[in-house]
Amino acid sequence: MVPHLITALTGPINELEQRMLDAMPAIERWFRLEWMEHTPPFYTSVDLRNAGFKLAPVDTSLFPHGWHHLTAEMMPLAVQAAMAAIEKICPEARNLLIVPENHLQSPSDVADLAQLQRIFNLAGLNVRVGSIDPELKKATTFQLADGQSVAVEPALRVRKRVGLRHFDPCTILLNNELPAGPPGILEDLYEQYLLPPLQAGWTVRRRSRHTRCYEEVGKRFGKMLGIDHWLIHPISHSAEAGKTKARRMEALRAAVDQTFSKVRRKYKEYGIGEKPFVVIKADDAGDEAGVAVLRDARDLPTLEESGQLPRSGHWLVQEGVLTQERVHEAVAEPVVYTMDRYVVGGVYRMHPGESAGLGGRARGASYVPLAFEHSTQLPQPGERPGASAPNRFYMYGVVARLAMLAASYELEATDPEMLELA
């Protein structure tokens, strides 16, 4: 199943796909050399937008959810990647503790935990789920419609180690974005690996830092591939927080104007007839803070007065990248999952309406696993660009790995141990 594009501007994206296929050996060598110098995030999910004339990541999660949407055919990839990741970190690992988001409620959250348990259990680990939610006082079993169940127990700290009763893990896998900041229970651990590290949480992380790192990666990759890095990069500007509301809004207006100006120049350069728009996101918070779409800089005061701006004094203004892909008439946004340095699968986030592709995760979205026309997920050299699902997925995977590499730069820049040495 290859989604079709509703735009006539399919030439550039097919040319980009062909360039990546032709340069596959050089691309893979480029990544190998990068991973010799940088440690990949333990796992990520990367939201992509395919506008027909460019393909760009618009969000990179370091605590990815939605693993239960992956197909059974993708599970071996995830298990092998989990094995490789754990072997690098703790070859003698036996026990793994998964720390989920607080306030587990929805069946999808529970199904997500069940899938992560399955992946790491098949990778050869004893896996249990321990919550740091202070409201969870006793072990609770959640049932799924397919008969599976997930037991969630209160995490315990004994001296400087975190675990459960009669369960002492050497590795702790965070699947919790830590919106309230690093909890004391997870700080200063003794001989336990915490993945991802605490600085991956939103009290430290900044979207603007990630986009700067991604732009650096994109420029170097674009030079290697011989393309304009704008074809894989959304133009972004951060609005520095001022001490007063007036100063904050002044900075936001400047960032909006800069972004619109640069995008219009690129549209003119490439002969793109679409009307540009920007997306305003909280720079220092996850998706729960919301996003705002702005199609004209003159409408910013209205956006502010209506209370639609994200609840933050720190904003990122990002070039809006339309989603021109459709599956069965629904908007289809690719989401690519990685673990260690490997792409392990992907899904389409489907929207029945016409408001998707605007940088937000609209309510009412559904998820459809990326399906393949062939029994293999390897790219097929020689196929016409756009005609092969594995080829299109290879292009998605390359851009997702660029975002993953940018995240590794980002984590290095905020590593407390590295900052102490600086």
Side-chain angles (χ1 to χ4, degrees):
M1 177 179 66
V2 180
H4 65 274
L5 299 176
I6 63 169
T7 174
L9 294 169
T10 56
I13 207 69
N14 284 342
E15 181 184 346
L16 180 61
E17 182 180 317
Q18 189 64 60
R19 277 180 178 263
M20 289 188 181
L21 292 171
D22 292 343
M24 194 185 306
I27 289 173
E28 297 307 318
R29 178 179 182 273
W30 189 86
F31 276 118
R32 281 199 305 272
L33 294 176
E34 286 293 326
W35 297 132
M36 289 176 66
E37 299 291 332
H38 305 282
T39 302
F42 188 81
Y43 56 5
T44 68
S45 65
V46 182
D47 291 1
L48 302 176
R49 299 290 186 271
N50 184 350
F53 51 85
K54 72 181 294 180
L55 174 71
V58 296
D59 193 49
T60 303
S61 173
L62 301 183
F63 302 96
H65 299 287
W67 294 93
H68 60 293
H69 296 305
L70 301 186
T71 63
E73 291 79 11
M74 291 177 180
M75 282 293 285
L77 299 176
V79 171
Q80 290 170 11
M83 286 180 176
I86 293 296
E87 285 172 7
K88 282 196 316 186
I89 296 161
C90 184
E92 298 178 356
R94 179 181 300 170
N95 297 333
L96 175 77
L97 182 70
I98 299 177
V99 176
E101 298 284 0
N102 295 355
H103 312 300
L104 285 172
Q105 295 291 339
S106 71
S108 64
D109 290 340
V110 180
D112 204 35
L113 284 175
Q115 184 78 310
L116 281 175
Q117 272 192 301
R118 188 181 304 113
I119 289 170
F120 287 99
N121 187 251
L122 290 171
L125 296 167
N126 300 312
V127 185
R128 288 168 68 175
V129 181
S131 175
I132 58 173
D133 185 351
E135 295 182 12
L136 186 76
K137 304 298 185 182
K138 62 180 181 178
T140 304
T141 299
F142 295 87
Q143 299 290 338
L144 291 168
D146 61 2
Q148 293 186 85
S149 64
V150 176
V152 181
E153 304 169 66
L156 304 173
R157 178 163 176 139
V158 179
R159 297 182 179 87
K160 287 192 173 185
R161 293 180 69 86
V162 172
L164 307 174
R165 291 190 64 186
H166 311 301
F167 187 77
D168 184 28
C170 76
T171 305
I172 300 169
L173 179 63
L174 274 176
N175 200 237
N176 183 318
E177 293 189 340
L178 306 177
I185 191 174
L186 296 178
E187 293 182 303
D188 300 320
L189 298 179
Y190 176 71
E191 292 187 349
Q192 284 182 309
Y193 295 94
L194 184 64
L195 305 167
L198 291 177
Q199 75 262 26
W202 279 112
T203 51
V204 175
R205 199 172 179 222
R206 295 291 181 269
R207 281 190 166 97
S208 55
R209 184 184 294 114
H210 178 78
T211 56
R212 287 194 300 270
C213 291
Y214 182 82
E215 184 172 18
E216 177 187 344
V217 168
K219 284 180 177 178
R220 291 176 46 243
F221 181 82
K223 184 177 180 180
M224 185 272 294
L225 200 62
I227 63 168
D228 180 354
H229 80 283
W230 177 74
L231 296 174
I232 54 172
H233 167 68
I235 293 169
S236 303
H237 289 91
S238 60
E240 299 296 333
K243 293 183 179 180
T244 65
K245 181 179 178 181
R247 287 287 181 87
R248 289 195 292 272
M249 291 307 300
E250 182 182 346
L252 180 58
R253 280 192 294 273
V256 165
D257 289 340
Q258 284 180 299
T259 306
F260 266 120
S261 177
K262 289 185 178 180
V263 175
R264 288 192 187 100
R265 285 200 296 269
K266 282 296 181 182
Y267 275 29
K268 184 177 181 180
E269 177 183 344
Y270 283 89
I272 296 166
E274 303 282 353
K275 186 177 180 180
F277 65 97
V278 302
V279 178
I280 303 173
K281 303 179 179 182
D283 194 20
D284 54 352
D287 292 316
E288 73 281 352
V291 300
V293 177
L294 186 64
R295 297 188 175 279
D296 192 310
R298 292 172 294 186
D299 295 333
L300 184 58
T302 303
L303 205 63
E304 179 195 4
E305 292 167 6
S306 63
Q308 295 181 53
L309 286 176
R311 300 180 301 277
S312 173
H314 305 259
W315 292 292
L316 179 74
V317 180
Q318 189 176 69
E319 171 191 354
V321 183
L322 283 169
T323 291
Q324 299 286 26
E325 293 184 271
R326 298 292 186 275
V327 174
H328 304 309
E329 305 305 319
V331 173
E333 300 169 351
V335 183
V336 175
Y337 288 82
T338 72
M339 191 174 293
D340 193 56
R341 57 179 180 164
Y342 305 103
V343 173
V344 299
V347 299
Y348 287 117
R349 185 183 294 117
M350 310 284 285
H351 303 270
E354 291 298 318
S355 62
L358 303 182
R361 297 185 180 181
R363 292 180 180 178
S366 59
Y367 294 83
V368 175
L370 284 166
F372 297 99
E373 296 169 336
H374 311 288
S375 60
T376 175
Q377 291 139 355
L378 295 174
Q380 307 291 310
E383 288 275 2
R384 177 173 56 84
S388 165
N391 284 357
R392 179 56 52 87
F393 188 53
Y394 178 73
M395 179 172 64
Y396 293 164
V398 168
V399 176
R401 282 185 287 167
L402 293 174
M404 177 173 60
L405 179 58
S408 73
Y409 286 22
E410 177 190 357
L411 291 175
E412 289 169 7
T414 54
D415 185 340
E417 293 184 4
M418 298 299 292
L419 291 174
E420 286 179 8
L421 295 174

